[in-house]
Amino acid sequence: MTRVVWVAAGGTAGHINAALSVIEALNDEVVPVLITTDRSLDHEVTAHITIQTARIQGVGFARGLPGVLRALGKNVEAFGANVALLWALPRPERVVSFGGFHTPLVSLVGRLRGARSYLLEQNAALTRANRLVGVWSARVFLAWPVPVPKSWLGRSVVVGNPPRAAVVAAVGERARVREALGFALDEVVVVVTSGSLGARSVNAAAREAASLLAREEGVSIVHAMGSTNGFSESELLGLGHLTNYRPVGYDPELYRYLVAADLVVARAGASTLTEIALCGVASILIPLPGSPNDHQQRNAEVFARAGASIVLEDGVMTGRVLADTIGDLVADGPRRCSMGEAARRLAHPDAAKVIWEEMERV
């Protein structure tokens, strides 16, 4: 009999990449079905995969009453079609959720069709969708040691966030990756990224910081602007003279730059932090203000307490503040190395394998 596992993830590249990592760890006799949302980012992130994929319509719940009402209306409208889509899929033996507004519906329908439910909470704070899925999940996997509801205590286990196999492989070939990307071995590579969508505030500060750091010799700045909130070519014209500044858009292989990096400036999303830890690289974190349940701030605090990161507030960050912080770490190689080692101690390279083994066991 064919064993089918539904894998529900969407809304961010981080959710989907963690899901793909676990799919890679499944036994050969298991048939995965990836269930994402119909957002353009989900299409972009999954464009290269060949496994069966289903896409749920609707939107996440925004803050404020108007946003909640708008999302409620759209999700109610799409409910019937979404349930019909899920019921037409192969019957699952298990369903595992990684995050996204659609995961409670996917997990619940899977349960109604006889599947066991599992959940990975990738952040240091529980999201609303994951709190709901956790109610009926047989096992709740945690990326970090975080407080959980009392009813979860016997069902939760810390396993870390599952990194992509390609990232694990690339970390072992850092010198080759740097050479392929055109960086000298003695060059200090600073990578600035604000997630798959990009953040305008981080991008603006990074652009100004690049100008202020233009005279730093032996330093290269890679600016990954994201798919949505980056700058147009005309907005970047004034930086054409900067030979050490390399702006890029959304890149599904951004991990190559993280592997090559000596310092990373980033938001504090779970996927980014997972790869920072695996790469063992120092970081400056700028948590997204107002993230659900303030999870990015809590993620950043995990790394700051470990000595792996410096945390800057988005509201007070300017190009000058960012340039000064980058400059201090560029000039202090021993501190960067110490922070990188602290980050590496937070890595869980075998998380995907552990998750699947636990799903088989429980």
Side-chain angles (χ1 to χ4, degrees):
M1 179 181 294
T2 300
R3 302 177 63 195
V4 176
V5 173
W6 287 2
V7 182
T12 70
H15 292 325
I16 296 173
N17 286 331
L20 294 176
S21 297
V22 172
I23 287 173
E24 291 174 345
L26 299 179
N27 294 340
D28 291 340
E29 70 271 17
V30 176
V31 177
V33 178
L34 178 64
I35 306 174
T36 71
T37 77
D38 202 33
R39 293 181 63 179
S40 59
L41 176 67
D42 289 22
H43 282 273
E44 188 173 0
V45 175
T46 59
H48 66 289
I49 68 173
T50 57
I51 63 175
Q52 182 177 358
T53 303
R55 304 193 186 277
I56 298 297
Q57 300 176 34
V59 296
F61 287 86
R63 292 197 170 196
L65 183 59
V68 170
L69 292 177
R70 184 163 51 251
L72 186 62
K74 290 185 177 181
N75 292 339
V76 168
E77 181 181 354
F79 179 79
N82 287 334
V83 171
L85 171 67
L86 293 171
W87 218 266
L89 293 175
R91 184 175 181 176
E93 176 187 278
R94 291 171 169 82
V95 53
V96 55
S97 303
F98 292 82
F101 74 86
H102 66 309
T103 55
L105 176 63
V106 175
S107 182
L108 184 58
V109 171
R111 286 276 291 169
L112 292 174
R113 297 189 65 185
R116 293 177 70 84
S117 176
Y118 303 85
L119 167 69
L120 171 65
E121 175 53 76
Q122 295 181 265
N123 295 292
L126 305 178
T127 63
R128 287 177 296 185
N130 285 351
R131 282 183 180 275
L132 185 56
V133 175
V135 170
W136 57 76
S137 291
R139 181 68 88 203
V140 178
F141 304 110
L142 304 173
W144 325 106
V146 297
V148 297
K150 288 184 179 180
S151 61
W152 292 18
L153 292 178
R155 298 181 287 126
S156 60
V157 57
V158 177
V159 298
N161 271 320
R164 291 174 287 176
V167 185
V168 177
V171 168
E173 300 183 350
R174 184 170 186 267
R176 183 191 62 78
V177 171
R178 282 178 69 101
E179 181 180 7
L181 292 173
F183 300 121
L185 290 179
D186 60 350
E187 197 170 358
V188 178
V189 179
V190 180
V191 176
V192 182
T193 174
S194 52
S196 50
L197 298 178
R200 198 69 177 183
S201 60
V202 176
N203 284 338
R207 181 176 59 177
E208 182 183 352
S211 296
L212 295 171
L213 293 168
R215 295 182 180 180
E216 290 280 351
E217 295 185 3
V219 177
S220 285
I221 299 175
V222 177
H223 182 189
M225 298 179 292
S227 62
T228 303
N229 297 308
F231 295 118
S232 64
E233 290 186 9
S234 61
E235 291 175 302
L236 293 171
L237 284 177
L239 300 180
H241 65 289
L242 301 181
T243 58
N244 67 337
Y245 177 65
R246 188 187 302 188
V248 297
Y250 173 73
D251 184 350
E253 296 186 339
L254 179 64
Y255 66 85
R256 297 178 305 149
Y257 289 103
L258 299 185
V259 170
D262 298 286
L263 175 63
V264 174
V265 180
R267 288 296 198 200
S271 179
T272 300
L273 293 184
T274 298
E275 295 182 358
I276 285 174
L278 191 65
C279 294
V281 60
S283 59
I284 299 168
L285 301 179
I286 309 162
L288 174 67
S291 59
N293 207 17
D294 207 20
H295 71 266
Q296 288 212 7
Q297 180 64 38
R298 299 189 189 188
N299 290 349
E301 289 170 357
V302 171
F303 274 63
R305 284 195 301 268
S309 304
I310 294 172
V311 180
L312 300 179
E313 290 185 29
D314 185 276
V316 299
M317 182 194 59
T318 63
R320 169 57 69 184
V321 169
L322 184 57
D324 288 347
T325 309
I326 291 173
D328 289 344
L329 287 175
V330 165
D332 194 343
R335 186 183 183 192
R336 289 200 318 274
C337 289
S338 176
M339 293 171 68
E341 287 302 316
R344 187 173 283 112
R345 288 192 289 271
L346 295 171
H348 294 266
D350 296 326
K353 179 182 177 182
V354 171
I355 289 172
W356 173 240
E357 289 176 348
E358 279 290 299
M359 287 172 60
E360 285 275 76
R361 190 179 69 84
V362 180

